[in-house]
Amino acid sequence: MAYAYLFKYIIIGDTGVGKSCLLLQFTDKRFQPVHDLTIGVEFGARMITIDGKQIKLQIWDTAGQESFRSITRSYYRGAAGALLVYDITRRDTFNHLTTWLEDARQHSNSNMVIMLIANKSDLESRREVKKEEGEAFAREHGLIFMETSAKTASNVEEAFINTAKEIYEKIQEGVFDINNEANGIKIGPQNPMPGPTGPHNAGQAGGSCC
Amino acid sequence: MSDEEQPPGTKPARAMGKEITMNALQEWGEEVEDGAVYGVTLRRVRTESPSGDLLTVASSPGYVHYKTCKVRSLRAGTLEKLVENLLVEYQGSDPGYVPTFLSTYRAFTSPEKVLELLLDRRLEKPGDKEPATPGSPIPDTPCVQRVVRGVLQTWLERHPQDFRDSPQCLQIISSYLSQDSRENPSQLLRLVRSLEDETDQDSSPKDWTSITRPSEGDCDTSGNTTCLLSYPPQDVAEQLTLIDVDLFQKLQSCHCLGSIWSQRDKKEHRHVAPSVRATVAQFNAVTACVTASVLSDIQMKPQMRAKVLEKWISIAQYCRFLRNFSSLRAILSALQSNSIYRLKRTWAAVSRDNLNIFHKLSAIFSDENNHEISREILTKDEIPLRRTNSARNEPRPLQRSASQVRSTRPAQGTVPYLGTFLTDLVMLDTALPDNVEGGLINFEKRRKEYEVLAKIQKLQLTCRHYVLTPKPDILQAFYTHRQLTEDQR
């Protein structure tokens, strides 16, 4: 399907915070049978519209691979946006945010938009991390913040779309080098803008290699 | 349910208001009974000779006969039903049931509980002569006991680790068998005995791991990385593969299940999935080794650093020859990490040939189409790759290994990168509910999971084809280095 831009996202955070659940919810796969993951050509992808333009979001889920640190790290470089997720019912997942953030900042391009997601907002009775704490952390580190529930779908759309809006604005401001696919942005085939050129660095394995 | 014979070449015929197509399988519907939900499919099977029907034309030679069978498969049930179904499906019409159950039951129960339910029927009154009607418990007859023993044997053979983890289960089986005076010492009993002996001896680690794993404070503190890279790339790749093969063969596929693996960071689950953790630890040790060897010496000139990169590219290439996709990916992901990737002057000094190899190897792990290439390559039967004639100044391609690899063709060993499977399994676990209406265990979920586990198990079996000889000095160099990087953390 034709799109003006393709944005690549990565979802990161401790195990069990609901990363896969967010992805399934956003891509409308939550209540559909997962027939065969290995043939999921468009797995983890969805179209959205911003400013009247079709934008394709391609999302890398790192769930299950969190401990292979170099793998997550190798994904950062090709991502335009990151959803950094913690679980409001487990304080340790909040405490680990600094480590995740340092890792992300160190291994990504400097313009990557990071959205802090406080997930499982439906479990209010078991809450261990106050909303204000999340907000404060986000403010301090220059992140967008949102509380979501991947289970009830509350704010899930908004989380992905607001991140995309921020990336889109950065493109409009000319902050992103959209000709370098290593930034996690690709111009759609029908777009009149100049096509992306290959990365000029010798070390890159062509295109959006992981 | 009527079986139906059809003359050959008949177009889809109507039966029971549904169309019997030429498909081998057709969804029919669901049957619900107390504590269980079954999926019903109609299966067309070819029959050798028609079973005494009147269609004389149809029984002439040259005609193909089909029979339509109704096949039930358990979709959901109580734990009791699920265990009972092991007896129904042992050599039954749903051959996937027993392996699926045995590979996934740990997600919803313990081996002790399964064993208890499996053996419990002995306590039922043997006086009840009622034939097994659907829904009623399977009675205890000599025939059923034979099936119970069959299931136990399959369990012990396919999942011996379950019994190493729970030796009490072995005792239970042992005493169950001893009650059975009619049986001669069976294959089953021999299995139990050999596992018991093993637990007594506290299974000793492979000799090469015990020799080379460094003990505390036993580290030479300088120049270990250079030391590892001073060996021929092929030898290093072989030794990395030796370690990976050992870990992969020891991997318990049930540890990969989403419900088990994704709980690993919770306080009460600190010790779950040790066999997956060991694999991850080795993977990270390899990446750490690459990173350290490239970056630790700040004084190193770009040309020298480029040589180190080339060496690793060469090791990666040999890992590819050996179909060791775990260490291959570990090396590549380290080389692609931002800290190494951004060394532009170093990369500029890497030869074009080596860059080409690096790009080709990296393309294997492209995320396109949900990692299509790296998934498909695992099952590809391939002639061992000939090295491109480009890379000069490197040891001749696979002279020793080629003979080894060739001698094992067409059966080659493959070690996969485990992470893709782990993500698939986490995704399945997230997407599919554990229980369905009425609190029944959702066995369809376990079937989906088993599709992934079966791929892992199949690859594990291929690993017996590896013929690799331990080289203690190289292993030592690697482990010493590993110890150092762990200490620095």
Side-chain angles (χ1 to χ4, degrees), chain B residues 8 15 20 76 80 134 161 179 197 209 216 321 393 407 409 412 439:
Chain B
I20 312 286
E80 289 74 13
Q161 195 60 41
Q179 293 165 23
D197 293 348
T209 47
E216 300 274 330
F321 291 152
N393 306 328
S407 68
R409 279 196 68 224
Q412 281 177 284

Side-chain angles (χ1 to χ4, degrees), chain B residues 3 31 52 54 89 117 142 155 182-183 201 205 225 308 338 354 359-360 365 372 396 409 415 430 440 446 475 477 489:
Chain B
D3 287 352
E31 285 179 9
L54 299 170
E89 295 301 350
L117 291 168
W155 190 0
R182 290 161 301 168
E183 272 299 295
Q201 290 163 13
T225 320
V308 177
N338 223 20
N354 274 301
H359 290 169
K360 270 187 193 149
F365 299 105
E372 191 179 21
R396 287 297 98 206
R409 279 196 68 224
V415 182
T430 310
L440 301 180
R446 306 305 163 194
L475 288 166
R489 238 171 258 167

Side-chain angles (χ1 to χ4, degrees), chain A residues 2-208:
Chain A
Y3 53 83
Y5 294 104
L6 181 144
F7 297 165
K8 293 204 174 191
Y9 282 20
I10 179 170
I11 312 185
I12 51 172
D14 277 8
T15 59
V17 295
K19 297 188 291 294
S20 295
C21 205
L22 280 165
L23 176 60
L24 286 166
Q25 187 65 266
F26 179 66
T27 54
D28 297 327
K29 297 276 195 317
R30 184 69 183 89
F31 297 106
Q32 287 173 20
V34 182
H35 285 298
D36 190 347
L37 294 164
T38 59
I39 316 175
V41 174
E42 287 293 303
F43 199 81
R46 196 184 131 179
M47 296 291 259
I48 58 167
T49 311
I50 291 176
D51 198 15
K53 291 204 167 64
Q54 290 283 350
I55 292 176
K56 183 171 170 179
L57 301 185
Q58 178 73 51
I59 302 137
W60 284 318
D61 180 20
T62 61
Q65 299 186 64
E66 300 89 346
S67 319
F68 297 87
R69 298 313 294 269
S70 64
I71 295 294
T72 345
R73 284 174 189 156
S74 64
Y75 278 117
Y76 286 132
R77 209 183 47 245
L83 303 188
L84 172 54
V85 190
Y86 69 94
D87 174 354
I88 64 157
T89 71
R90 279 163 62 209
R91 178 157 289 275
D92 55 331
T93 67
F94 180 74
N95 294 341
H96 294 158
L97 288 178
T98 321
T99 321
W100 279 110
L101 195 60
E102 275 171 11
D103 213 47
R105 294 257 200 247
Q106 195 189 337
H107 294 93
S108 65
N109 72 74
S110 53
N111 293 314
M112 184 169 81
V113 174
I114 304 176
M115 156 85 73
L116 181 63
I117 304 272
N119 195 30
K120 306 200 185 175
S121 62
D122 54 302
L123 300 175
E124 191 57 46
S125 61
R126 286 164 48 195
R127 182 188 280 274
E128 284 183 11
V129 185
K130 284 193 216 122
K131 188 177 181 183
E132 293 74 36
E133 293 177 85
E135 283 170 340
F137 185 93
R139 212 176 310 121
E140 189 186 331
H141 294 94
L143 317 173
I144 332 170
F145 176 76
M146 209 160 235
E147 282 207 336
T148 62
S149 165
K151 198 175 166 194
T152 66
S154 156
N155 269 347
V156 172
E157 292 267 325
E158 291 82 350
F160 284 91
I161 291 171
N162 289 355
T163 311
K165 278 184 185 156
E166 181 107 351
I167 297 168
Y168 185 77
E169 276 166 30
K170 282 197 175 185
I171 294 174
Q172 301 301 306
E173 291 163 13
V175 179
F176 267 115
D177 173 13
I178 48 173
N179 288 325
N180 185 352
E181 272 188 43
N183 285 331
I185 298 167
K186 207 167 142 183
I187 303 165
Q190 92 293 13
N191 203 295
M193 301 177 89
T197 56
H200 46 267
N201 325 13
Q204 167 65 303
S208 56

Side-chain angles (χ1 to χ4, degrees), chain B residues 101-243:
Chain B
F101 183 94
L102 292 178
S103 297
T104 60
Y105 74 87
R106 291 197 161 210
F108 51 84
T109 189
S110 64
E112 289 82 2
K113 186 73 192 161
V114 174
L115 201 54
E116 183 195 319
L117 291 168
L118 197 58
L119 302 181
D120 200 27
R121 65 199 64 261
R122 283 181 71 90
L123 304 175
E124 283 161 23
K125 290 185 295 282
D128 253 350
K129 280 280 168 65
E130 234 177 289
T133 54
S136 71
I138 293 176
D140 185 45
T141 63
C143 172
V144 170
Q145 286 165 22
R146 248 195 316 279
V147 175
V148 169
R149 285 194 297 270
V151 172
L152 287 175
Q153 184 169 332
T154 309
W155 190 0
L156 282 154
E157 278 171 355
R158 302 268 178 82
H159 302 274
Q161 195 60 41
D162 290 9
F163 300 90
R164 292 186 190 113
D165 295 346
S166 317
Q168 62 274 31
C169 286
L170 273 185
Q171 287 167 16
I172 298 171
I173 298 179
S174 211
S175 67
Y176 165 76
L177 292 176
S178 65
Q179 293 165 23
D180 213 340
S181 49
R182 290 161 301 168
E183 272 299 295
N184 295 323
S186 59
Q187 172 66 12
L188 178 54
L189 196 63
R190 274 193 293 276
L191 272 169
V192 174
R193 293 274 176 273
S194 76
L195 272 166
E196 278 173 343
D197 293 348
E198 208 181 279
T199 22
D200 288 346
Q201 290 163 13
D202 203 62
S203 62
S204 56
K206 284 206 174 168
D207 45 355
W208 57 266
T209 47
S210 58
I211 294 169
T212 51
R213 272 182 202 282
S215 49
E216 300 274 330
D218 194 21
C219 293
D220 177 8
T221 46
S222 63
N224 289 293
T225 320
T226 13
C227 198
L228 182 65
L229 288 182
S230 67
Y231 294 100
Q234 179 179 356
D235 291 355
V236 177
E238 282 181 358
Q239 297 308 302
L240 291 178
T241 305
L242 185 85
I243 300 170

